[in-house]
Amino acid sequence: MASASKKSVLFVCLGNFCRSPMAEGVFKDMVSQRADKAEWKIDSAGTSDWHEGDNPDERTSATLETKTGHRLDHIGRKITKDDYNKFHYIFGFDESNISNINRRKPAGCQAVIQLLGEFDPQNQRVIEDPYYGDMSEFQRVYNQCSRCLTAFMEKEFS
């Protein structure tokens, strides 16, 4: 791993439209309250280019605005080979994400690649895609990301 700080996290879902921007927004809000906030690198990406260049799903943005008081400033993008060296942690949301992330990883990659849901204290390992659901599904994803990221911070940085 080139010079990836342990305080670098990339969230990756299929399209970088719903789940990964939601987790990015949740985590940025969480980290913004820390004394070491300037040391963090937080981003999100997709394994496909379906939403490359797009803003997050409006329901993701609305949920984040309601819960955190601000909208996420993010433009969808696809994961790159450089990301594997820039980020210490790369989190997927389901087994398909993890499979796609691992398939693309370059030789020598030392990033920690795992399901974000592995940190869920309620043992819900998969964070289901809310794309075809209503606002309650986006709120569910927000809540699950919050639980997982709180547990992640307690485990890795307390």
Side-chain angles (χ1 to χ4, degrees), residues 78-134:
K78 188 174 177 180
I79 190 171
T80 67
K81 286 189 180 195
D82 287 344
D83 287 330
Y84 291 90
N85 293 317
K86 285 189 211 173
F87 294 94
H88 185 81
Y89 297 97
I90 300 176
F91 291 123
F93 297 84
D94 58 38
E95 295 297 341
S96 178
N97 298 155
I98 296 298
S99 176
N100 287 327
I101 293 165
N102 280 324
R103 189 173 334 115
R104 290 173 169 82
K105 78 178 174 185
C109 169
Q110 294 181 21
V112 176
I113 299 169
Q114 68 187 108
L115 286 170
L116 179 58
E118 290 179 21
F119 291 95
D120 194 336
Q122 294 182 12
N123 296 316
Q124 295 177 6
R125 292 184 73 239
V126 172
I127 300 176
E128 300 289 343
D129 193 344
Y131 183 76
Y132 293 105
D134 59 19

Side-chain angles (χ1 to χ4, degrees), residues 13 21 47 49 65 68 80-81 91 123 135 145 155:
C13 66
T47 58
D49 60 2
E65 187 169 26
T68 69
T80 67
K81 286 189 180 195
F91 291 123
N123 296 316
M135 280 300 289
C145 287
K155 181 177 184 222

Side-chain angles (χ1 to χ4, degrees), residues 65-78:
E65 187 169 26
T66 299
K67 301 284 192 176
T68 69
H70 62 271
R71 294 176 85 77
L72 180 65
D73 181 22
H74 179 79
I75 301 297
R77 69 181 189 85
K78 188 174 177 180

